[in-house]
Amino acid sequence: MSAEGIDITKLPMRADEGDSSSIDEDEIQLQKLGYKQQLHRSWHFVESFAASFVALNFIGGVRAGIFLGLEAGGPAAVWSSYIISMIFMFITAAVLAEICSALPLSGSIYVWSAESAGPKYARFFGFIVAWWSCTAWMTFAAGNCLTAANYIVSELMVYNINYPGGAGNDSVQWRALVWAVAEACLIVSIAINYLPPRMYSGVFKFSIALYMLDFFLCLIWLPIGVSKTYGFRSAKEVFTMTYNGTGAPPAWNWILCFLYTSGTMIGFDASGHIAEETKNASVVAGRGILSSAIATGVLGFITNILFLFCTPDLDTLFALDAPQPFVQLYALALGKGGSIFMTTIAAIGLILNTSVAVVAASRLIFAVARDGVLPLSGWIGQVDALRQPRNAVTVMFVFGGVLLCSILPSQVAFTSLTSAGGIPTTAAYGLIALLRLTMTPNDFKSSHFFLGRWRKPFYVATILFNGLVFATQISPFYFPVTPQTFNFACVIFGSVTVFGILSWYLIPEEKWLRRDQILQAMQATDEPYEAGSSGVAGGGRGVGENARHRRDSISKTTAKDMELE
């Protein structure tokens, strides 16, 4: 049979069709994309929004990273870089919402990359981004537990408690304490993930409420405390003061501030990872990505301005020596009791942040295992009686627990291993936009968030900005560069990319991301999800016409790439 004779509409699916009258529209769409509904589907917009909003953790991200921003450029760089980051991250979120609406699948980001590349290069980029995203999400949970542990152990310094061996990373007793607390945080975060889906909905909502409580306490209580103690920074200091604590050339020192400002807004793809558990996913998941990015950006900017006015002078600030200096800052402004209260809220917020990150990461692992590419895929890809990927959550626990053990010999080793956590996600954001611009600029028009005439400018903006952020992430932060200040993130990222390429080369096509599966999903993205649908959001061809165009282009590509013996 010739390639031209292949009927794309009859390519084999990975799921039994069943009686379409007995399943809802989300399941029909999932079947068109080549998968059977295995996970529970009971979450709505609130959960979709919370998945990204809590994973981003605007208040915790600003609190943990603002010290880096102040070293790289000072207050003037912090607020101005944040505005730029906010605008371009909104654009990036719009690009991801566009493709998420067309491909609302677990493990979404590597599927988005594969389908954005078109049939010829789909498997290659799918493998690479699968490795990138697994690295990012799986290491994030362990790194976040260390951050939570640092909040807790910092209270020892507030109360001047002498710890055996000293409170520093050069002490094995101190590292053992930090490790034990971090492992405890991981256990709690994982345990929450074993809750039934309907109960976990309450975790999403409680997390949002806790973050807003944290925000309003900082907005109201912190300024009152500052006014009664060391006093506010002047407007001139906040809006015009610069600082170079990195030793980098002045221009690059300022640009390094993007390492902080953009870092607080990376991770809004989490809404896409739970798409198969979200009702009306083709609309709700994309809306979750956009709304969480906007909410995080706006609230994060307000928090930045607040903290810039409420921090002490830079000499005092940089003299704070706790693992998490903000704990000591709270003690200066609010007293020891206030510091404990705010530290408790921050630590609980980070544990919930980790738990939600595990939700996203476990769905990613489940999706990869579902396609059979991981060792023990048959076990990892199973769902329990409540239709949730419990075994994938267990994999996250084992991986995170083992990774945290690297704190014991050297916390520098742990930091090096997790230093590449955010880089693969940034690279994936930019790569998806690049592939959409160069490979599939006129596809996915059935998306509810189709960008229309704005799509190419948005793709270019996403590529350029995420490229800039990527450069800051792999750059050394302190200059001159020494073995102690070398950024191992570039080495780790390069190694992960090599593993992705080797996997693509060694794993047979029929094992993962099969060609027929890719073609089927590409066709489905331009088919209407409801009978009688005749148009697409944002203009362009009608869906029926666009689907015919897709079938024609796929058939031509298939004929060109496949040859008979």
Side-chain angles (χ1 to χ4, degrees), residues 204-468:
F204 280 131
K205 296 168 185 175
F206 177 77
S207 300
I208 295 174
L210 184 72
Y211 286 4
M212 296 312 297
L213 172 64
D214 192 350
F215 171 70
F216 282 114
L217 284 174
C218 288
L219 194 64
I220 299 170
W221 191 17
L222 181 60
I224 292 174
V226 169
S227 68
K228 295 179 179 179
T229 53
Y230 54 78
F232 298 105
R233 299 302 96 219
S234 67
K236 182 178 180 180
E237 288 178 292
V238 168
F239 293 111
T240 66
M241 182 179 179
T242 61
Y243 184 83
N244 188 335
T246 67
W252 188 248
N253 175 65
W254 189 289
I255 291 175
L256 281 173
C257 195
F258 284 105
L259 178 67
Y260 154 62
T261 57
S262 63
T264 61
M265 289 178 273
I266 293 175
F268 42 71
D269 52 298
S271 297
H273 292 294
I274 67 164
E276 288 184 34
E277 298 160 271
T278 306
K279 290 182 177 292
N280 194 19
S282 62
V283 175
V284 171
R287 187 179 296 163
I289 289 173
L290 271 173
S291 58
S292 63
I294 293 171
T296 296
V298 172
L299 291 172
F301 179 72
I302 295 171
T303 305
N304 268 286
I305 297 298
L306 170 70
F307 287 166
L308 290 177
F309 275 104
C310 289
T311 53
D313 64 88
L314 294 185
D315 290 336
T316 302
L317 190 67
F318 292 140
L320 302 177
D321 57 353
Q324 175 42 260
F326 232 99
V327 173
Q328 291 174 308
L329 189 150
Y330 281 138
L332 291 174
L334 306 175
K336 293 180 178 180
S339 174
I340 289 179
F341 185 77
M342 294 302 295
T343 297
T344 301
I345 291 178
I348 294 173
L350 283 165
I351 290 172
L352 294 171
N353 179 212
T354 305
S355 178
V356 171
V358 171
V359 171
S362 61
R363 273 55 178 179
L364 172 63
I365 296 168
F366 162 79
V368 176
R370 175 173 60 183
D371 287 329
V373 76
L374 292 177
L376 302 176
S377 284
W379 178 77
I380 297 173
Q382 290 178 2
V383 297
D384 63 12
L386 297 174
R387 301 173 69 191
Q388 58 182 351
R390 183 183 292 257
N391 294 342
V393 173
T394 302
V395 170
M396 280 296 303
F397 172 60
V398 173
F399 181 88
V402 171
L403 189 58
L404 282 170
C405 287
S406 63
I407 294 173
L408 292 172
S410 169
Q411 190 160 318
V412 174
F414 175 82
T415 304
S416 297
L417 288 172
T418 58
S419 62
I423 297 176
T425 305
T426 303
Y429 290 173
L431 179 61
I432 289 171
L434 178 63
L435 295 174
R436 291 287 288 123
L437 177 68
T438 58
M439 301 292 190
T440 55
N442 299 313
D443 295 320
F444 307 115
K445 289 186 177 179
S446 62
S447 169
H448 293 278
F449 296 90
F450 182 62
L451 296 173
R453 64 180 181 178
W454 292 101
R455 64 189 187 281
K456 291 186 178 180
F458 272 36
Y459 299 155
V460 171
T462 299
I463 295 165
L464 294 177
F465 180 71
N466 284 277
L468 175 66

Side-chain angles (χ1 to χ4, degrees), residues 163-183:
Y163 189 76
N169 291 331
D170 56 345
S171 166
V172 66
Q173 293 98 325
W174 179 259
R175 294 198 303 272
L177 172 66
V178 173
W179 167 78
V181 176
E183 290 281 13

